[in-house]
Amino acid sequence: MMKAEGIPGIEQFASPGKGRGLRVSRAYGVGELLFSCPAYSYVLSVGERGLICEQCFTRKKGLAKCGKCKKAFYCNANCQKKNWPMHKLECQAMCAFGENWRPSETVRLVARIIARLKAQKERSPSEILLLLGEMEAHLEDMDNEKREMTEAHIAGLHQFYSKHLDFPDHQALLTLFSQVHCNGFTVEDEELSNLGLAIFPDIALLNHSCSPNVIVTYRGINAEVRAVKDISPGQEIYTSYIDLLYPTADRLERLRDMYYFSCDCKECTTKSMDVVKMSVRKRSDEIGEKEIKDMVRYARNSMENFRRAKQDKSPTELLEMCELSIDKMSTVFDDSNIYILHMMYQAMGICLFTEDYEGAVRYGEKVIKPFTVLYPAYSMNVASMYLKLGRLYIALDRKLAGIDAFQKALTIMEVVHGKDHTYVTELKQEMRDF
């Protein structure tokens, strides 16, 4: 049986005011791997099927599909066989339900966790420091809206998985869904596309800071923790749970809503970047506090309305929403204001989706410079932006601009993914092909 023997160079400790945490017992330099953790359970997003192997998350052409459901794809028979204990939870149901098979990604992950827990005889390599059952659940902190959402998830679990799974009692299910809500990781690729959802118990011990010294990235179904700052012996290691683009008030609200705590990191107490993030247009008439407050309210409402509209509006309508809100915000905010950047980033995404590459470049070029100022030094948000721009330039026959953007992406990617990662070697190959 695997005992909790620990991870070399890393130790668990009681972090003042934060509960459990991890710190280093030796020095780590920028780009160095602190540790990696295989996923305890994971699920590939439905949208990635056919592009990525369901078992090992390798991205390649010519994957073989499951002969029964024709929906799951694998590198080879070996990957398919390894994945069968998890795929069998869905294979038959997908055939039976047809178009009506629609469990959420969270439900799919929880079903796999239940199956794994049932089969598990000993501590897994994902639980060297922390057992799955020991992860925070924050059940008592859930509001009615979250409780309702969890009940809907539980109903979905019963609807789609009751044939192949014995469920624990209702209370245990509530706990499990809450644990996944607080500790689940979205597995992303180098362009920050969502590949799937996974749970990594040992990584769940990392506390949050808005000025993190490590970053979590993915290599297949393994999560890797790499230093993005030099770390001295005895220092706690912090990752960021959220997108760091936004001002302090927005970040704190998101942390309270999603993870039930408030952050007291240096960035949140000094609010040092807020003035830059909330930059206001230089106008001949002075812009008053009330006008700024009203525009912030408008901006936040626009972001929320856009998020909801994504479900049912056409790309043309969505782009119009972005352009209208950018125009209105521009009367008060500077172009590098994060609320304008947020909507420009959304607009770029729509242009990419509709293959309007000129439009995508136009928005991307407005966003990239402020991003390099507002995000930390080694940020996936910045790297993925350079990557997207590089690929757009190449598609538009602007080779030199493309190579330049790729080079900037590479500098960040070698630190956050490691020099031997396939994302890095593939990009270098892409650059050599020009």
Side-chain angles (χ1 to χ4, degrees):
M1 175 157 171
M2 270 191 79
K3 291 208 296 292
E5 281 176 358
I7 298 168
I10 308 294
E11 54 192 35
Q12 194 177 333
F13 78 117
S15 178
K18 291 183 167 56
R20 299 174 294 204
L22 295 179
R23 64 185 172 199
V24 297
S25 54
R26 70 165 178 89
Y28 286 87
V30 170
E32 205 175 334
L33 178 71
L34 279 77
F35 70 99
S36 74
C37 175
Y40 179 88
S41 287
Y42 57 95
V43 63
L44 184 74
S45 289
V46 170
E48 294 297 324
R49 284 187 167 154
L51 306 168
I52 289 175
C53 173
E54 298 259 345
Q55 168 62 23
C56 67
F57 273 38
T58 298
R59 177 173 63 194
K60 66 178 192 184
K61 291 186 170 66
L63 294 169
K65 68 171 118 180
C66 168
K68 291 198 182 106
C69 67
K70 314 269 193 288
K71 296 267 200 307
F73 290 76
Y74 300 96
C75 291
N76 49 39
N78 188 26
C79 275
Q80 185 170 3
K81 194 175 163 194
K82 275 193 194 156
N83 195 246
W84 177 243
M86 294 303 147
H87 181 55
K88 76 176 180 196
L89 304 172
E90 299 182 340
C91 188
Q92 210 181 336
M94 285 195 289
C95 299
F97 280 97
E99 290 298 300
N100 297 318
W101 188 82
R102 281 200 296 268
S104 70
E105 224 159 81
T106 306
V107 167
R108 294 180 66 210
L109 180 64
V110 168
R112 287 163 183 241
I113 293 172
I114 293 168
R116 172 110 198 241
L117 281 168
K118 196 166 186 237
Q120 191 178 353
K121 301 278 187 287
E122 56 183 41
R123 198 178 191 114
S124 75
S126 314
E127 306 168 293
I128 293 173
L129 302 171
L130 186 74
L131 288 167
L132 180 102
E134 295 170 342
M135 295 190 310
E136 289 283 354
H138 292 286
L139 261 181
E140 65 291 349
D141 298 317
M142 278 167 80
D143 57 18
N144 285 341
E145 196 184 337
K146 286 216 179 66
R147 205 163 271 276
E148 274 170 31
M149 189 180 78
T150 306
E151 291 294 354
H153 281 324
I154 292 173
L157 188 67
H158 283 283
Q159 181 185 356
F160 295 111
Y161 293 90
S162 51
K163 264 214 168 98
H164 293 280
L165 267 183
D166 297 324
F167 303 123
D169 63 38
H170 197 77
Q171 191 58 34
L173 285 177
L174 277 174
T175 302
L176 197 47
F177 273 104
S178 303
Q179 285 174 317
V180 168
H181 176 76
C182 296
N183 301 285
F185 282 81
T186 302
V187 179
E188 293 167 326
D189 68 7
E190 76 278 40
E191 281 197 7
L192 291 187
S193 298
N194 170 2
L195 303 184
L197 200 56
I199 206 96
F200 303 96
D202 286 342
I203 307 263
L205 279 169
L206 290 174
N207 282 318
H208 164 87
S209 168
C210 300
S211 178
N213 52 12
V214 299
I215 191 168
V216 178
T217 52
Y218 306 95
R219 191 180 292 246
I221 52 168
N222 291 295
E224 297 191 326
V225 179
R226 287 179 184 277
V228 288
K229 291 180 182 170
D230 289 328
I231 311 172
S232 312
Q235 270 190 317
E236 179 162 8
I237 47 181
Y238 294 105
T239 185
S240 172
Y241 295 179
I242 54 168
D243 189 331
L244 294 173
L245 181 66
Y246 303 92
T248 307
D250 297 31
R251 292 197 312 275
L252 291 176
E253 189 180 308
R254 177 130 176 87
L255 289 167
R256 276 193 289 265
D257 178 54
M258 285 283 296
Y259 303 102
Y260 312 104
F261 71 85
S262 197
C263 184
D264 59 358
C265 75
K266 193 161 161 245
E267 195 45 60
C268 287
T269 45
T270 62
K271 303 183 170 62
S272 66
M273 289 294 286
D274 282 8
V275 175
V276 189
K277 289 180 175 184
M278 300 297 292
S279 54
V280 174
R281 193 161 285 293
K282 303 266 187 290
R283 279 192 339 205
S284 50
D285 58 322
E286 192 64 32
I287 298 174
E289 280 298 313
K290 184 182 182 314
E291 202 177 343
I292 295 171
K293 257 204 179 99
D294 289 347
M295 194 53 82
V296 168
R297 195 176 305 117
Y298 167 80
R300 293 179 74 170
N301 284 338
S302 297
M303 280 160 58
E304 184 53 32
N305 292 341
F306 180 83
R307 196 179 62 78
R308 293 189 178 173
K310 268 178 154 172
Q311 321 296 324
D312 51 15
K313 288 213 178 341
S314 71
T316 316
E317 291 171 307
L318 289 170
L319 192 57
E320 202 170 295
M321 282 179 80
C322 289
E323 286 166 348
L324 278 171
S325 65
I326 290 166
D327 285 348
K328 180 160 177 163
M329 287 191 276
S330 294
T331 59
V332 173
F333 295 154
D334 188 69
D335 274 359
S336 64
N337 182 295
I338 60 102
Y339 294 124
I340 289 188
L341 292 175
H342 176 97
M343 290 319 264
M344 282 182 176
Y345 184 76
Q346 302 301 325
M348 181 189 181
I350 300 160
C351 291
L352 277 169
F353 180 76
T354 57
E355 296 185 9
D356 168 14
Y357 295 158
E358 298 278 3
V361 162
R362 206 166 51 247
Y363 283 115
E365 287 178 339
K366 286 181 179 164
V367 166
I368 188 64
K369 198 144 186 353
F371 266 25
T372 60
V373 175
L374 302 175
Y375 276 111
Y378 297 101
S379 160
M380 280 299 300
N381 301 77
V382 177
S384 66
M385 197 65 193
Y386 276 130
L387 258 187
K388 286 176 189 168
L389 271 173
R391 287 178 178 148
L392 283 165
Y393 287 137
I394 300 298
L396 294 168
D397 230 15
R398 294 172 59 185
K399 197 171 143 189
L400 285 175
I403 298 278
D404 183 55
F406 280 160
Q407 198 52 61
K408 288 177 169 144
L410 203 55
T411 305
I412 299 171
M413 288 166 67
E414 288 187 334
V415 167
V416 299
H417 291 296
K419 291 184 175 166
D420 61 344
H421 198 292
T422 47
Y423 293 156
V424 171
T425 52
E426 280 171 9
L427 181 57
K428 284 183 171 168
Q429 188 54 53
E430 211 175 316
M431 289 165 76
R432 276 197 293 272
D433 290 344
F434 300 131

